[in-house]
């Protein structure tokens, strides 16, 4: 498949889970009407970004993966012949929770999941209260649109994960986010295009947008949207998403660029893993 029409979304919390899920079902339908073959939502798409506070009531958003949400979107995937990347709050068992993304193929088959490996715990991102670190490594899924990998938000700051996904065969990596202004602004512009260029694949970067004051009042942060896709040469594919407001973005990705970029640079040929022991030292 040479051209993959890819959709990514950014939106803010509606105030209740059912309307949030319904909103994303509508994103799928709209993307399908424009011919999209794959879609990815923002981090923890079905709820608020509750890492702003530390409150056990938000454990109630966690559910089994596979489970009700994957089943619901599997039907949509099959109906619209679309691969869906579904970032979900996962309950493995009572008291054991993960920040997870399920991967559903275009025929509705649940292919598996990725669990966020790197968990932040800083002001307004109190994620260690809610999630254990992922324990599934860096899987790559063979989908109808090619070999797909996933990282989630904070993972993007760690180049080792990006490289392992490339070594595992990824051609298209999805990085759903909940990112706000502050220390991350410049990194937001740099990291994902750099990862795309350094590893020779596409990186798809949905982000939350706006203030979730309906949930957190004065504690709410202002997620900066600006979702985008970077190609294997580190360039934006089309325009960056809006700083404010909901958006469904559709972009055509020429998958031949993966081979072109890798042949031009040969980073995989010239790697020296025998020289990298300090990276894995405790």
């Amino acid at each position: 498949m040479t051209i993959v029409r890819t959709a990514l979304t950014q939106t803010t919390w509606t105030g209740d889970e059912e309307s949030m899920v319904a909103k994303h079902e509508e994103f799928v339908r709209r993307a399908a009407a424009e011919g999209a073959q794959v879609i990815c939502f923002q981090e923890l798409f079905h709820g608020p970004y509750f890492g702003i506070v530390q409150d056990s009531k938000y454990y109630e958003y966690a559910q089994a993966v596979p489970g009700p949400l994957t089943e619901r979107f599997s039907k949509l995937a099959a109906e619209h012949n679309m691969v869906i990347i579904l970032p979900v709050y996962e309950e493995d068992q009572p008291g054991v929770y993960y920040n997870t993304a399920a991967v559903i193929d275009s025929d509705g088959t649940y292919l598996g999941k990725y669990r966020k490996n790197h968990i932040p715990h800083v002001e307004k991102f109190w994620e260690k209260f809610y999630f254990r670190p992922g324990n599934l490594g860096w899987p790559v899924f063979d989908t109808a649109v090619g070999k797909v990998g996933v990282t989630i938000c904070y993972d993007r700051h760690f180049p080792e994960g990006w490289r392992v996904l490339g070594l595992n065969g990824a051609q298209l990596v999805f990085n759903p986010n909940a990112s706000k202004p502050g220390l991350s602004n410049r990194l937001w512009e740099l990291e994902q295009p750099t990862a795309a260029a350094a590893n020779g694949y596409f990186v798809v970067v949905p982000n939350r947008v706006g203030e979730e004051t309906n949930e957190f009042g004065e504690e709410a942060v202002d997620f900066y949207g600006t979702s985008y896709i970077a190609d294997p040469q580190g360039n934006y594919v089309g325009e960056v998403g809006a700083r404010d407001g909901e958006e469904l973005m559709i972009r055509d990705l020429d998958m031949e660029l993966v081979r072109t970029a890798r042949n031009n640079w040969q980073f995989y040929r010239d790697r020296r893993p025998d020289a990298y022991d300090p990276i894995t030292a405790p």
Side-chain angles (χ1 to χ4, degrees):
M1 183 177 292
T2 301
I3 301 297
V4 172
R5 181 158 288 189
T6 301
L8 60 162
T9 66
Q10 58 178 50
T11 191
T12 192
W13 171 233
T14 59
D16 69 275
E17 187 173 29
E18 176 54 34
S19 65
M20 195 67 166
V21 172
K23 176 187 284 285
H24 285 79
E25 289 175 320
E26 184 58 25
F27 278 138
V28 172
R29 297 184 185 99
R30 286 171 53 195
E34 295 191 42
Q37 297 155 285
V38 58
I39 191 169
C40 182
F41 306 140
Q42 63 205 27
E43 184 179 15
L44 301 169
F45 88 96
H46 56 107
Y49 177 74
F50 40 73
I52 290 169
V53 297
Q54 297 181 82
D55 191 329
S56 60
K57 73 180 182 181
Y58 291 108
Y59 296 153
E60 296 302 315
Y61 283 92
Q63 60 179 267
V65 178
L69 273 180
T70 55
E71 291 170 8
R72 191 162 166 174
F73 280 86
S74 288
K75 293 176 182 176
L76 269 181
E79 179 183 349
H80 297 290
N81 194 34
M82 189 184 301
V83 176
I84 299 178
I85 313 302
L86 202 66
V88 177
Y89 190 16
E90 179 191 4
E91 180 181 87
D92 186 47
Q93 57 177 284
V96 180
Y97 307 113
Y98 295 96
N99 190 333
T100 297
V103 178
I104 301 168
D105 211 355
S106 61
D107 64 356
T109 301
Y110 166 77
L111 296 179
K113 60 193 171 188
Y114 166 74
R115 288 171 170 163
K116 186 174 181 177
N117 277 299
H118 302 99
I119 308 299
H121 203 65
V122 296
E123 183 71 26
K124 302 289 189 180
F125 292 92
W126 304 118
E127 293 198 10
K128 284 185 168 65
F129 185 84
Y130 297 102
F131 314 120
R132 289 188 60 177
N135 56 3
L136 299 177
W138 303 95
V140 170
F141 304 92
D142 196 358
T143 77
V145 296
K147 295 185 181 299
V148 164
V150 183
T151 68
I152 299 176
C153 201
Y154 191 62
D155 284 328
R156 72 177 189 266
H157 302 307
F158 300 87
E160 297 85 354
W162 294 112
R163 177 49 53 90
V164 175
L165 285 169
L167 292 172
N168 289 345
Q171 301 165 311
L172 187 55
V173 175
F174 294 88
N175 179 230
N177 281 266
S179 290
K180 69 174 182 68
L183 292 175
S184 75
N185 285 59
R186 182 61 175 145
L187 297 180
W188 179 257
E189 298 170 346
L190 292 173
E191 284 175 326
Q192 295 93 312
T194 299
N199 295 287
Y201 48 53
F202 287 91
V203 177
V204 180
V205 190
N207 190 25
R208 285 178 177 259
V209 69
E211 294 182 285
E212 300 183 348
T213 53
N214 52 353
E215 186 73 26
F216 301 109
E218 292 183 357
E219 290 190 90
V221 302
D222 184 16
F223 297 108
Y224 51 60
T226 60
S227 303
Y228 64 83
I229 298 177
D231 75 16
Q233 297 169 323
N235 301 308
Y236 291 137
V237 180
E239 297 295 319
V240 171
R243 168 61 181 85
D244 301 293
E246 177 177 297
E247 193 164 358
L248 169 67
M249 301 167 59
I250 308 287
R251 300 287 185 267
D252 285 338
L253 312 187
D254 181 356
M255 301 306 292
E256 286 298 317
L257 281 177
V258 173
R259 182 176 297 276
T260 298
R262 293 187 182 189
N263 284 349
N264 285 345
W265 280 108
Q266 290 295 347
F267 293 144
Y268 289 92
R269 180 195 65 195
D270 297 336
R271 293 176 64 247
R272 286 289 310 281
D274 56 298
Y276 303 154
D277 287 348
I279 290 177
T280 57

